[in-house]
Amino acid sequence: RPMEVSFQDLQGNELLRFDRPLRCMECCCDFCYPNCTQLLEIYHRDQSLGKIREVPVCCTRKHLEVWNNSDQKMYDVTGPCCPCSCGGDVPFQIESLSGDHIGEISKKWRGCCSETFTDTDTFKVEFPAGADVTQKAVLMGATMLVDYIFFERQNNQQQ
């Protein structure tokens, strides 16, 4: 299903909006990219800040691309082949265009009972050094897309 999340100040002014259109789930074919894979766009007062695109992969590390509002790729976000936790955090590396690890989005382990009996998740984002407010907002969108793609339940079953 499509999703739109709006963050507003106390006066009702929109600060950020995350917009995810309806797209295919778990597409592993190259011909799906970019028109059929997951996409999340980030806006501030109806002006685009950037977007996150899922890159189709089959049986390899999970991969997202982070783009600015000028359609220039800023970062790659890569996670484990099987993004599940057996008692520890699940890291997704934020990488520069040259492949250097410069930050991290991680799903925090909250304990066996919390993980088993609740559907809430906790994430920690280590932003790249020198990232501006716009880049941080787009990486917050990447965190939302990581949660949606890899950790949300479908029909009460863990993906």
Side-chain angles (χ1 to χ4, degrees):
R1 294 190 172 127
M3 174 189 75
E4 186 176 288
V5 176
S6 178
F7 295 92
Q8 301 172 354
D9 64 16
L10 295 174
Q11 290 73 39
N13 299 315
E14 183 177 83
L15 302 173
L16 284 177
R17 185 175 77 245
F18 298 145
D19 185 17
R20 187 186 56 78
L22 178 63
R23 296 287 179 98
C24 296
M25 286 294 291
E26 300 181 15
C27 183
C28 61
C29 302
D30 286 339
F31 69 86
C32 292
Y33 178 83
N35 297 321
C36 295
T37 57
Q38 292 296 307
L39 171 74
L40 187 123
E41 298 175 289
I42 299 89
Y43 296 92
H44 170 69
R45 297 185 180 160
D46 291 327
Q47 291 186 346
S48 174
L49 299 179
K51 61 188 156 210
I52 295 83
R53 290 182 176 150
E54 175 189 24
V55 176
V57 293
C58 186
C59 301
T60 60
R61 295 174 54 89
K62 305 301 180 186
H63 187 87
L64 302 173
E65 294 176 336
V66 180
W67 298 75
N68 67 16
N69 63 347
S70 301
D71 278 337
Q72 296 174 324
K73 191 163 90 165
M74 296 187 298
Y75 308 113
D76 286 309
V77 176
T78 58
C81 180
C82 178
C84 59
S85 177
C86 295
D89 297 347
V90 181
F92 288 79
Q93 306 297 321
I94 300 171
E95 299 172 351
S96 67
L97 297 181
S98 61
D100 296 327
H101 172 214
I102 57 173
E104 184 174 279
I105 298 169
S106 57
K107 180 186 179 293
K108 305 303 284 179
W109 173 255
R110 297 173 302 115
C112 190
C113 288
S114 293
E115 294 290 336
T116 303
F117 298 113
T118 66
D119 192 28
T120 59
D121 296 318
T122 301
F123 286 86
K124 178 182 177 184
V125 180
E126 295 176 16
F127 295 106
D132 62 24
V133 174
T134 299
Q135 292 167 331
K136 289 178 181 180
V138 175
L139 287 169
M140 287 175 54
T143 305
M144 288 186 68
L145 196 56
V146 162
D147 182 38
Y148 177 78
I149 292 174
F150 305 113
F151 300 106
E152 286 304 307
R153 298 171 190 240
Q154 290 184 346
N155 299 326
N156 294 326
Q157 299 295 316
Q158 186 70 25
Q159 288 189 20

